[in-house]
Each structure stands twice: as C-alpha cells, then as structure tokens.
Amino acid sequence: MMPRRSILLFAGACIAIAVALAVTTIVVVNRRDGAVPSMETSTGQPSVGGPFQLVDQDGRTVDQTMLDGKWSLVFFGFTYCPDFCPTTLTALEATKRQLGDRAKDVQIVFITVDPERDTPQALKDYLSSDGFPQGVIGLTGTPDQVKAAADVYRAYYQKVGEGEGYTMNHSLTVYLMGPDGRFRSALAHDLGPQRSAQVIERAMARG
C-alpha cells in the first residue's frame, strides 16, 4: 500500500496540474474571444482612458470630449514607425469594411508618442497616405501632454537611440472606447480585421 505521505503528495500534484490546465484554458478562451481581458479596477470601473488635451492635425486643441457620440479606436504610434503603425492603420481600414454600415459610427484616433517630430502638419501628411483609412484623427502636443494622454491609457513608450535616427518603442494595443468616452475593450494588434469587427459589434450590442 502507498504510504499516506506519498498519497497526499500525489493528490497535491494532481490538483496543481488541474489548476494549471484550467488557467491555460481561460487564457486560450480569452485569446480566441478576440479581445485582451478588460482592464478594470476592482470596482468594475474602466481603468484606461480619461482626461487629455492635445492638438489635432489641423492645429485645433481637443480634449477627451472628442470621443463623445462615436465609437472610437484609439492607438498610440508615430509617423516614423517602420511597420506596426502602418500595418495597424491598414488593418483598421479593413476592420471598418467588415463593419459595413456600422463603420459610420466608428472613428480612428492616432496619438503620436513622438511629439518631437510629429507636428500637426507631419501627422496630416502621414495620415493622408494611400491605403490608410479616411478621416483618421491624428493627435500630438507637448511632450508633457503626450505623456499625460499615454498615462491615462496605460500606454507604454520609450525613445531609443540618439540623433536624427532615433526610434520609439511603444505598446501596440488598440483601445475601443464607447460613445460615452469610456473604455469598452482592448484589441490585440494582430487580431485581424474580421475578429476585430466581431469584438466591436459585440460591444455595440451591449451599448
């Protein structure tokens, strides 16, 4: 007969394996659902998004109220970004096509993390490139204003290198904000247009 201590150790190991499998299943389900798990506080209130003051590509001062009345896809990047930013913009254009008539209720907001180079005019020229969605709102500001906006969205960025050839590391999440300006979901950058549209449609259905 197996000693009592061995039985307890074996049982404990089985429980640990079962818990690990359960956690893995939850992670896989969340990823298959298409959205990053909601970033909420213990009170259930959104912990991303909030007050900001920036300047759009036409030189107009804007704040968080620009999100009111529209579903907004907000993400952070910069015009010198070699890959992820243009890829994200073209993917969001495809996502809007997937949404069909509902796309008219969605606006895309591109906030630079490189205010040193990304002036309003630089943003305007960049966002008018072929293949990018029409009507994207580009936002910039002083370094302090950009940092404040990134902080309320919990977006990471960091300057890498010196001189004219520097680049920016930054987070890749797209934040889905509701017509009330409040956070609804976070879309992974590699989710794809079809699944992104499904996440947006589910959020719209919930209101």
Side-chain angles (χ1 to χ4, degrees), residues 52-66 120 137-142 145:
F52 62 80
Q53 188 171 73
L54 295 165
V55 177
D56 70 13
Q57 69 261 49
D58 293 316
R60 296 173 298 206
T61 298
V62 300
D63 60 22
Q64 68 280 359
T65 60
M66 64 169 291
I137 302 169
L139 301 180
T140 186
T142 67
Q145 288 175 324

Side-chain angles (χ1 to χ4, degrees), residues 24-145:
T24 300
T25 300
I26 292 170
V27 171
V28 170
V29 168
N30 280 334
R31 287 178 179 172
R32 285 178 180 171
D33 183 60
V36 176
S38 295
M39 302 176 186
E40 295 184 349
T41 64
S42 59
T43 62
Q45 295 300 313
S47 58
V48 295
F52 62 80
Q53 188 171 73
L54 295 165
V55 177
D56 70 13
Q57 69 261 49
D58 293 316
R60 296 173 298 206
T61 298
V62 300
D63 60 22
Q64 68 280 359
T65 60
M66 64 169 291
L67 305 179
D68 294 346
K70 284 274 192 179
W71 289 88
S72 301
L73 296 168
V74 180
F75 78 104
F76 291 77
F78 64 115
T79 63
Y80 281 72
C81 180
D83 40 36
F84 288 114
C85 300
T87 299
T88 298
L89 283 166
T90 53
L92 291 179
E93 168 68 2
T95 297
K96 291 190 74 171
R97 289 199 299 269
Q98 290 281 335
L99 288 169
D101 289 341
R102 293 187 175 188
K104 69 181 185 298
D105 298 321
V106 178
Q107 64 181 357
I108 300 171
V109 181
F110 176 88
I111 303 177
T112 184
V113 295
D114 186 14
E116 182 178 337
R117 294 181 294 199
D118 288 345
T119 62
Q121 187 61 52
L123 284 172
K124 191 168 190 173
D125 293 343
Y126 179 74
L127 294 173
S128 64
S129 300
D130 292 340
F132 287 173
Q134 292 185 353
V136 176
I137 302 169
L139 301 180
T140 186
T142 67
D144 286 344
Q145 288 175 324

